[in-house]
Amino acid sequence: MTKVTYTDATNKHVVREFLFSYFKYNAIVGLAGPNINEYIQWCKSKGYKDIEIWENTPDVLMNQLMTLKHPVSMKFGNILTAEADKPKTVYDLDYCSTVYTLEQHISKFKDNFIMTFSLRAGVEFTIKEFFKTRKEKIVNSIVKNNPINHTIFTTNVGKYIFTPYFDTSAMCCIAKIK
């Protein structure tokens, strides 16, 4: 059996295409992941001109800088220190960790974001903890299967899309769209 890698992660890419269709901005702040050049090329293909990438691990940053082929703004440090309310900017926060360790992150970013979480804690727990941390109450939910499996949550504060998927492991994205 061949190990699935991020660049082979078809379901993640389908989810990303779907969720980013809700954001029509020129600027993106994100966590590039294992292949910085693939990430930047994808951002540019979607019309993003102002790309700010954060990295918190020195070895990963060094590797990214050595392989970087595109001019972007690189920031070393915790994404928690990023400006979280830039106008007309989408925040692509691919944490790949459970909600257990991301309370500050979940609270900090208020609008125009896509957060990616591991579902090791389970779907129900992830959703419950996400909205509890944001101090929001779900008032309505609609499950849809097209174009992909997703749930639209309306809270007392806004509207979100939840998309579970599986590639290398069980994951989900939660996007704040309104």
Side-chain angles (χ1 to χ4, degrees):
M1 184 167 138
T2 305
K3 181 178 177 176
V4 177
T5 65
Y6 174 77
T7 54
D8 301 326
T10 303
N11 290 332
K12 177 179 183 59
H13 295 299
V14 169
V15 167
R16 180 167 69 174
E17 289 289 333
F18 170 67
L19 291 175
F20 272 91
S21 71
Y22 285 86
F23 302 98
K24 303 295 182 204
Y25 303 126
N26 290 330
I28 186 168
V29 173
L31 305 169
N35 188 333
I36 191 168
N37 290 306
E38 182 270 337
Y39 181 79
I40 294 168
Q41 284 179 305
W42 183 86
C43 289
K44 288 179 176 279
S45 77
K46 296 299 172 194
Y48 294 102
K49 296 180 183 5
D50 180 7
I51 302 169
E52 181 179 301
I53 296 174
W54 284 77
E55 180 52 55
N56 201 26
T57 308
D59 292 344
V60 173
L61 177 67
M62 186 61 69
N63 185 52
Q64 288 176 333
L65 291 172
M66 289 173 38
T67 61
L68 190 61
K69 296 178 183 173
H70 307 278
V72 295
S73 174
M74 292 288 299
K75 306 282 184 168
F76 176 66
N78 193 324
I79 191 91
L80 285 173
T81 62
E83 184 181 337
D85 57 358
K86 290 182 179 182
K88 298 183 180 178
T89 300
V90 64
Y91 292 85
D92 183 20
L93 307 166
D94 193 343
Y95 299 119
C96 298
S97 185
T98 65
V99 292
Y100 287 120
T101 60
L102 296 168
E103 288 179 356
Q104 289 179 298
H105 298 82
I106 293 167
S107 297
K108 178 177 176 94
F109 296 93
K110 303 296 183 203
D111 295 302
N112 305 326
F113 65 75
I114 300 169
M115 293 185 184
T116 303
F117 302 104
S118 165
L119 280 175
R120 285 187 311 263
V123 171
E124 190 175 319
F125 180 84
T126 299
I127 293 167
K128 180 181 163 198
E129 284 300 305
F130 178 84
F131 289 113
K132 178 179 159 190
T133 300
R134 293 183 67 77
K135 297 178 174 63
E136 295 183 37
K137 181 182 179 199
I138 297 171
V139 295
N140 190 30
S141 64
I142 302 169
V143 176
K144 295 190 171 194
N145 294 314
N146 283 319
I148 64 171
N149 178 25
H150 65 285
T151 303
I152 300 170
F153 288 107
T154 304
T155 72
N156 56 316
V157 176
K159 190 175 277 194
Y160 298 81
I161 296 178
F162 171 82
T163 55
Y165 67 94
F166 187 94
D167 274 323
T168 57
S169 61
M171 303 294 290
C172 72
C173 291
I174 300 176
K176 172 96 184 277
I177 59 169
K178 285 188 181 178

